[in-house]
Amino acid sequence: MTRRVDKGELKSLAQDRIEDILAQLAPGGRHHRGGRAHYLVSNPMRRDRTASLCVWTRGTAAGGFKDFGDPHKVKGDVFGLVAYLNGKAISDFVFARDWLLDFLGLGSMSAAEREAAAQARAKRQQENAEAEERRRRAAHQRAHQVWMGAKLLMPGTPAWRYLQSRGIPLDKVPHYSGDLRYLPAAEWWMGAQWGTRIENGREQRYKVQAGPRYPAIVTPLRDAAGSLKALHYTFLQPDGSGKAPVDKPKLIYPEQLGLSMWIAHGPSGLDPCQADSAGVSGPLCITEGLEDALSAALAVPELRVWGAVSLGNLAQQPVNRPCVSEIYIAAQNDWGKAAALAELERAETQLARAGKPMARLQAHTGKDLNDTLLGKE
């Protein structure tokens, strides 16, 4: 006879066994053990050739999933994952519950075994949470060290030439924060080759070969308190004539959620924390990319300018603070696609909760504000 298990306990048990669940329902993928551990696999429900299905495998998000080919429809938690990979509707919780009860063998567990399993699970979760926090702190420290060791962005460097090619003379940007720095030869780590080996009974990844190296602009991603938590990399051609010849010339290490690039501080010259303390308030412009942010700061000196890095991070910007009097969102013209437009509208709804006046700052020509600055159609 199957014992009653509440939804929260069943979810926790399933999360503990997420890798076993994936091995059975979506084999053949690849585990990524970095800051946000996840599993990438070709979606078996669509027979994709590319690895589009992403499942998080650690922490409270374990079992959560999204398909990059259809991110607004194919997403959910571990129950939705089980239902989906069994060909059911993502919303079919009853099927997922019954499948998991059978998979986990809960029908044959005694009360004592259930209690022992719960205690072991609680201990594992605590250990995992502590390990995750140590990893995050180490990653934040590493990002700060890289930025501190980088060079000031000066004329004559590939980084300076790149910005000039985008119509941005950095020394002419009003109220520039000074945050951008330059690495002459940064590793494009997406091009690294990795292997696995067993150490102390556990599978460990190791770098077989480093990725190629390119000049790079590195820009801090800061939290609301101004602490550097991550870096945004723009990898460049060796001569600075454009971005590096790789499929993703812009990368972030280690995370971006809720973080911002502080690009320009507005007429006061005070960073957000200083302005909050001094009671100085003014309009804020939030862009997606670095070049867009610099273009906005160059064109409208009255603005404080932050870069959100991605459309998905726009809603997480910490705008409910005294230094922000009103909000302008630098909307890109390629956000007109249905999925992007829906994401933008969700972000606007979230940011509007701060109770600040808000408007879109649309690029007049081209894709974005930088294209408008360059006169592109």
Side-chain angles (χ1 to χ4, degrees):
M1 179 179 176
T2 301
R3 296 178 179 273
R4 293 184 61 84
V5 181
D6 68 44
K7 184 177 180 180
E9 182 182 5
L10 183 59
K11 182 176 183 178
S12 184
L13 287 165
Q15 288 176 322
D16 281 352
R17 295 281 302 281
I18 188 61
E19 294 193 9
D20 295 331
I21 292 170
L22 290 169
Q24 179 163 327
L25 297 180
R30 179 178 176 183
H31 287 279
H32 297 259
R33 313 285 185 181
R36 290 198 72 192
H38 60 281
Y39 178 78
L40 277 177
V41 67
S42 299
N43 190 332
M45 308 310 294
R46 290 206 309 248
R47 298 186 180 181
D48 284 352
R49 293 184 178 181
T50 58
S52 62
L53 184 64
C54 177
V55 183
W56 283 269
T57 56
R58 190 168 59 216
T60 57
F65 71 103
K66 178 182 286 190
D67 188 284
F68 295 124
D70 194 3
H72 297 292
K73 291 184 179 179
V74 183
K75 61 180 180 178
D77 63 6
V78 68
F79 296 118
L81 178 71
V82 167
Y84 177 72
L85 292 177
N86 276 285
K88 307 294 183 180
I90 291 173
S91 60
D92 194 342
F93 168 74
V94 172
F95 173 87
R97 178 199 63 195
D98 293 345
W99 189 94
L100 285 168
L101 287 170
D102 181 68
F103 178 81
L104 297 167
L106 293 178
S108 61
M109 292 178 72
S110 68
E113 289 171 332
R114 290 270 304 283
E115 178 62 23
Q119 291 179 0
R121 185 171 67 255
K123 181 180 179 182
R124 245 185 347 264
Q125 289 174 336
Q126 180 66 25
E127 291 172 347
N128 288 342
E130 292 172 354
E132 176 66 18
E133 183 58 25
R134 288 195 296 271
R135 280 190 289 268
R136 291 186 74 245
R137 288 180 179 176
H140 295 165
Q141 184 177 18
R142 170 63 180 157
H144 190 267
Q145 289 172 341
V146 169
W147 184 73
M148 290 295 291
K151 300 177 181 295
L152 294 176
L153 213 162
M154 302 292 288
T157 62
W160 191 275
R161 289 195 292 272
Y162 169 74
L163 292 177
Q164 285 185 314
S165 76
R166 301 298 297 264
I168 303 166
L170 194 60
D171 55 344
K172 298 294 191 293
V173 176
H175 320 302
Y176 163 55
S177 67
D179 259 3
L180 277 65
R181 294 196 179 181
Y182 163 66
L183 293 171
E187 180 192 357
W188 185 69
W189 61 86
M190 295 289 286
Q193 296 180 21
W194 295 83
T196 58
R197 59 191 173 204
I198 303 299
E199 291 184 2
N200 299 321
R202 300 183 65 181
E203 184 179 271
Q204 301 286 341
R205 293 180 74 223
Y206 68 98
K207 189 178 289 189
V208 176
Q209 182 176 320
R213 292 186 175 274
Y214 298 98
I217 298 171
V218 288
T219 309
L221 286 166
R222 300 185 182 276
D223 64 13
S227 297
L228 191 158
K229 298 295 185 181
L231 288 178
H232 175 277
Y233 287 72
T234 303
F235 292 89
L236 308 172
Q237 292 274 11
D239 63 357
S241 60
K243 297 186 184 74
V246 293
D247 58 348
K248 292 183 178 180
K250 295 195 173 191
L251 296 177
I252 294 166
Y253 173 83
E255 59 191 356
Q256 63 172 293
L257 190 64
L259 306 179
S260 318
M261 294 187 287
W262 291 359
I263 300 303
H265 294 327
S268 72
L270 301 175
D271 71 36
C273 299
Q274 293 168 334
D276 284 347
S277 297
V280 175
S281 184
L284 168 69
C285 177
I286 308 174
T287 72
E288 180 180 28
L290 174 63
E291 296 86 350
D292 244 16
L294 288 165
S295 298
L298 187 64
V300 190
E302 294 81 8
L303 295 172
R304 179 181 300 281
V305 183
W306 297 348
V309 178
S310 69
L311 178 55
N313 195 38
L314 181 61
Q316 307 302 320
Q317 295 302 293
V319 298
N320 192 15
R321 54 192 308 165
C323 69
V324 178
S325 62
E326 56 202 86
I327 304 164
Y328 294 91
I329 298 174
Q332 296 189 3
N333 288 325
D334 63 352
W335 289 356
K337 299 174 183 177
L341 187 58
E343 188 75 36
L344 173 59
E345 290 171 350
R346 281 192 290 271
E348 288 176 330
T349 299
Q350 177 65 26
L351 295 175
R353 292 174 181 170
K356 318 271 183 172
M358 185 169 61
R360 292 184 193 175
L361 186 63
Q362 197 80 36
H364 294 298
T365 60
K367 177 177 72 72
D368 52 28
L369 292 182
N370 187 243
D371 279 356
T372 299
L373 180 68
L374 293 172
K376 293 184 178 180
E377 295 298 326

